[in-house]
Amino acid sequence: MISVMNVQKQNNRIAEDLDSVVLEVLHSGKYILGDSVSRFEREFAEYCGVKYAIGVGNGTDALVIALKALGISEGDEVITAGMSFFATAEAIASVGATPVFVDCRKDTFLIDAELIEEKITSRTRAIIPVHLYGQCADMDRIKNICKNKNIKIIEDFAQAAGASYKGQRAGSMGDVGCTSFFPTKNLGCAGDGGMITTNDEAVYKNVLALRVHGSGNNGLFMYRMNNKLPEDTVFDFGNYLPKYFNFVLGYNSRLDAMQAAILSVKLKYLDEWNKRRTEIAKCYYEGINNRKVSLPYVEEENVHSYYVFPLIVEDRDKFREFLLSQGVETGVYFPVPLHLQKAFESLNYKEGDLPVAEFMASNVVVIPMYPELEQSEIEKVISAVNAYS
Ligand SMILES: *Cc1c(COP(=O)(O)O)cnc(C)c1O
């Protein structure tokens, strides 16, 4: 059986390096923050082309903390795409704001920039474009829409580590970027992990505060900012550790030291792995030829990271069953569009509100995509797709 993703094969190839850094952290006795986290934060910031990268517990927390760091809360509206992993919208709701869903483009599957403007109200505080499946959203148009409106842009690049748009890396184009190191992502760790990227020093300090319970000097910074106090307002910690003084409500959400060490090893390979994904995609574009199957469209300005390779098919269940009978596993990302998730029923969306997101939910299917796929396996996938009738 050819699986959709395979983490084990990737880890096996670099097993010695992984084993040694994991043991090093284990025996160091230092597990929370520390050198391995700050080193990986520096490396990842440099990789993305941003000033700051802050490691957090997972990609969902990255979104929640980024929203909080921008001061978004109850009564605010945040626009996002109708098709994404649930966490994108969940994060908006969990800070008390209201998610406002915009439909996707039928060719790229990404948020349709043309439909954003009509959803903007006096309460709109941010837009979260999702670089879905590994392709960056239309950032120039989104930036233009937000310009002079005091609407922040938060990139959800959990599926697009290493992707780029007009030469800029995913995670470097908005006010804030959020990504996930969930094991199957383009850059994955051996557990949960996430990162926030930004060039904005105030956001950086707020995020540093929020990941450690709103405490310490960064907590004090955020408190001063929230209460519009002068920056030189002094606070006396006495003889105590600043970390025991809490100024705002935050979280316990830090990138684990062991995961950071693993990620430092893996980051060196990310470009090579993404390149291999692109080669596999090229084989799929050249080899797949079945009038019942459409292939994804990639904008010229984009370097896709091919987190997954999505196809559009009629009669998806039948297609999946057929491929399975040929020894090829498939997946669905995702079967329910965000606006129709039960958890959002109080928002009163109904079927038909976002026709493209709904179409994607019933017709997108992903085929095997990971850098270690063998050429013979790629050919087997192509033959199976072409044999479907
Ligand atoms: C994976 C993912 C997330 C959430 O990441 P976790 O680390 O699992 O919390 C958020 N958004 C998108 C688009 C994702 O694919």
Side-chain angles (χ1 to χ4, degrees):
M1 183 67 58
I2 305 173
S3 57
V4 169
M5 293 172 179
N6 187 322
V7 173
Q8 202 55 38
K9 279 192 182 167
Q10 179 166 87
N11 290 347
N12 286 346
R13 283 177 50 184
I14 50 172
E16 267 180 44
D17 285 354
L18 293 179
D19 290 356
S20 92
V21 298
V22 165
L23 287 176
E24 199 179 306
V25 175
L26 178 64
H27 296 308
S28 76
K30 293 183 186 137
Y31 309 125
I32 306 297
L33 299 176
D35 290 347
S36 71
V37 175
S38 49
R39 181 180 354 114
F40 177 62
E41 287 173 337
R42 272 197 311 278
E43 292 165 352
F44 194 73
E46 190 183 331
Y47 179 84
C48 293
V50 293
K51 272 198 201 147
Y52 310 106
I54 313 100
V56 293
N58 53 67
T60 308
D61 282 2
L63 289 160
V64 171
I65 291 173
L67 286 158
K68 281 260 180 175
L70 291 171
I72 291 163
S73 64
E74 211 140 320
D76 296 334
E77 291 174 1
V78 177
I79 290 173
T80 195
M83 176 55 72
S84 179
F85 180 56
F86 184 65
T88 314
E90 182 182 36
I92 298 168
S94 74
V95 303
T98 304
V100 175
F101 300 114
V102 169
D103 209 2
C104 304
R105 272 172 56 173
K106 210 167 177 175
D107 54 354
T108 60
F109 308 129
L110 301 165
I111 190 167
D112 189 339
E114 286 207 25
L115 303 176
I116 291 176
E117 212 131 23
E118 65 197 50
K119 300 279 178 110
I120 292 176
T121 71
S122 59
R123 306 197 319 181
T124 308
R125 295 283 316 280
I127 296 183
I128 307 184
V130 181
H131 302 328
L132 195 68
Y133 305 145
Q135 177 166 211
C136 291
D138 192 347
M139 292 305 291
D140 278 355
R141 293 202 51 187
I142 294 170
K143 279 190 199 172
N144 257 325
I145 292 166
C146 296
K147 209 163 56 188
N148 309 323
K149 286 199 187 77
N150 198 25
I151 297 175
K152 301 291 185 185
I153 299 174
I154 303 171
E155 294 177 78
D156 180 343
F157 70 113
Q159 303 192 357
S164 61
Y165 168 92
K166 297 184 180 173
Q168 299 157 274
R169 283 259 199 237
S172 72
M173 297 174 277
D175 295 281
V176 193
C178 298
T179 198
S180 161
F181 303 122
F182 186 86
T184 58
K185 308 277 165 144
N186 291 66
L187 179 61
C189 58
D192 278 308
M195 190 75 93
I196 295 171
T197 53
T198 187
N199 286 313
D200 183 326
E201 194 184 352
V203 169
Y204 168 64
K205 288 185 172 174
N206 288 352
V207 170
L208 287 177
L210 289 166
R211 77 171 174 182
V212 291
H213 311 281
S215 66
N217 278 306
N218 293 307
L220 178 59
F221 172 87
M222 190 166 176
Y223 175 83
R224 284 197 204 107
M225 195 173 139
N226 289 350
N227 295 290
K228 301 190 170 58
L229 299 173
E231 261 193 59
D232 55 4
T233 310
V234 287
F235 184 87
D236 185 8
F237 292 103
N239 292 323
Y240 305 102
L241 290 174
K243 74 172 180 177
Y244 295 119
F245 295 78
N246 303 76
F247 299 91
V248 294
L249 296 178
Y251 303 88
N252 173 10
S253 184
R254 300 166 290 227
L255 179 62
D256 189 84
M258 222 176 270
Q259 303 303 343
I262 289 171
L263 287 162
S264 275
V265 171
K266 288 193 160 192
L267 181 62
K268 297 190 199 87
Y269 297 94
L270 180 59
D271 282 342
E272 184 189 317
W273 288 335
N274 282 349
K275 219 172 114 210
R276 177 63 189 149
R277 287 175 186 267
T278 305
E279 280 167 21
I280 297 166
K282 193 159 170 269
C283 296
Y284 285 159
Y285 277 106
E286 284 167 1
I288 294 174
N289 180 9
N290 182 334
R291 61 174 187 80
K292 287 197 156 181
V293 175
S294 334
L295 300 167
Y297 171 72
V298 182
E299 290 277 18
E300 219 164 289
E301 62 253 30
N302 273 322
V303 176
H304 205 301
S305 71
Y306 291 107
Y307 170 59
V308 292
F309 194 87
L311 302 175
I312 296 264
V313 290
E314 297 169 25
D315 219 344
R316 184 172 66 192
D317 288 345
K318 210 175 121 220
F319 177 83
R320 299 190 68 199
E321 216 171 284
F322 177 75
L323 257 70
L324 205 57
S325 76
Q326 304 295 298
V328 177
E329 193 186 78
T330 58
V332 171
Y333 291 69
F334 300 93
V336 184
L338 296 177
H339 66 294
L340 299 179
Q341 290 283 10
K342 272 274 178 260
F344 292 127
E345 70 188 346
S346 65
L347 299 176
N348 290 319
Y349 284 88
K350 54 187 189 317
E351 229 177 293
D353 284 346
L354 304 179
V356 178
E358 291 164 29
F359 173 83
M360 290 166 66
S362 350
N363 293 279
V364 170
V365 56
V366 311
I367 56 177
M369 174 56 84
Y370 56 89
E372 296 74 23
L373 268 179
E374 312 266 345
Q375 211 58 36
S376 61
E377 293 173 319
I378 297 166
E379 273 150 34
K380 199 171 151 193
V381 174
I382 294 171
S383 305
V385 173
N386 288 344
Y388 173 67
S389 63

